[in-house]
Amino acid sequence: MNTPPLVSLIIITMNHEKFIKQACVSAISQTYPNYEIIFLDNASRDRTFENAEKVLSKFGQHYEMIRNTENFGVAKNINIAVSHASGEYISLLSGDDWYTEDSLSEKVSYIQKNPIDFILSDGYKYYQAEDKTTDAYTPKEKKHIIDSLDNFFHENVSENKTANVGTFVKRDLLVQYPFDESINTEDWDMNLRLTSKGFKIGFIDKKLFYYRILSTSLSRNWKLMKDSYEKVTYKYIDYIKADKELYKKYRLKLIHFKYEILLSETTSESEKQYLRKEWKKEKYRVKYKNPILFFKLLMLK
């Protein structure tokens, strides 16, 4: 009987003292028989490392624990962890998220049956503050992702439309094309980089992860998100500008960041009301070139 391929399950974490046990328990509870765990703690100031060690010490297979003495960005941490990994495949997990028990087995089965190089999947979003779980995608969103996989780069180059939790990728690709350490949205950047080079992405229509959303999540930091958005899209700006619809989406996204930042910087309700009106005007100027139609729609709103 052939030995199934080795998978390196990489956990990247920082100050996840309250959540790391759940992530680690999900990691050691996988039904897949042949995997290692590479754990990297990004200089946490709490008991994240100690709490993780208690759980991972119960793992019956190889695991390695790395503890940074200084703080690095997520992309650099993943690159470090990949350099310690021995698996044919890499599966990425943040210390505040967690996997279903069949996550690795489903991914290995899928990638071996299909001519693809890396995988995303369906899953859940868990809102910590509200203690609420929702689907990661609406049925419409998921159908669009699945139907447009062959055109993934074009569909995602002006805006990230996927929940990149539990990304599963051939290790050789991450060695040859490491994560860009200057970018915070490293997962979106990796998806575009690989698909732009012709590598194939797959999507498993099964719920294989839980994505924890915190009030401190990067997605709530509009300035950082704008910076990352501009850095990623700058790499493909000629491609974006060459397509009218893509360029329109790109401009609308920049307007979105502009006003979210301005709204986050004021507590005045009158100022917020004014900004929302200005946001609407700018948005419609980009969306509708016909001035008469533009003002009619604006009045309706």
Side-chain angles (χ1 to χ4, degrees), residues 11-35:
I11 303 173
I12 303 294
T13 185
M14 185 180 74
N15 297 331
H16 288 144
E17 176 182 65
K18 297 178 180 179
F19 314 125
I20 195 61
K21 179 179 178 180
Q22 189 169 29
C24 290
V25 167
S26 80
I28 69 173
S29 302
Q30 292 298 301
T31 58
Y32 187 71
N34 188 29
Y35 68 104

Side-chain angles (χ1 to χ4, degrees), residues 6 35 94 117 151 168 177 179 193 198-199 276 280 287:
L6 179 67
Y35 68 104
S94 172
D117 302 290
N151 204 26
F168 190 87
Y177 306 105
F179 281 87
R193 185 169 67 255
F199 295 106
R276 290 189 182 103
K280 191 176 294 183
K287 290 180 74 173

Side-chain angles (χ1 to χ4, degrees), residues 63-125:
Y63 72 95
E64 182 175 352
M65 301 199 66
I66 304 164
R67 193 173 197 176
N68 289 348
T69 55
E70 59 180 307
N71 182 275
F72 301 123
V74 174
K76 183 168 184 175
N77 285 315
I78 296 175
N79 289 338
I80 292 170
V82 168
S83 71
H84 288 255
S86 303
E88 181 178 345
Y89 303 110
I90 300 288
S91 190
L92 299 174
L93 180 65
S94 172
D96 54 347
D97 301 328
W98 68 101
Y99 283 161
T100 60
E101 291 185 353
D102 59 344
S103 182
L104 294 187
S105 59
E106 289 287 350
K107 292 168 186 173
V108 173
S109 175
Y110 188 89
I111 204 168
Q112 291 191 314
K113 292 177 181 176
N114 295 279
I116 56 172
D117 302 290
F118 64 115
I119 301 170
L120 301 177
S121 79
D122 194 7
Y124 298 101
K125 290 180 180 178

Side-chain angles (χ1 to χ4, degrees), residues 3 15 51 96 100 129 151 155 165 174 177 217 235 269 283 288:
T3 303
N15 297 331
N51 292 351
D96 54 347
T100 60
N151 204 26
E155 290 294 324
V165 181
L174 295 189
Y177 306 105
S217 294
K235 298 178 181 183
E269 285 303 318
K283 182 173 68 174
Y288 306 107

Side-chain angles (χ1 to χ4, degrees), residues 11 26 32 36-37 48 76 81 85 115 145 159 164 166 177 250 255 279 286 290 293:
I11 303 173
S26 80
Y32 187 71
E36 64 177 5
I37 296 174
T48 296
K76 183 168 184 175
I145 290 169
E159 182 179 4
N164 303 296
Y177 306 105
Y250 167 79
I255 291 170
W279 183 354
V286 172
N290 185 322
L293 177 61

Side-chain angles (χ1 to χ4, degrees), residues 127-143:
Y127 294 85
Q128 180 70 32
E130 296 87 16
D131 188 23
K132 181 179 71 174
T133 301
T134 67
D135 293 337
Y137 302 101
T138 65
K140 183 178 179 181
E141 288 170 340
K142 185 166 63 173
K143 183 179 186 305

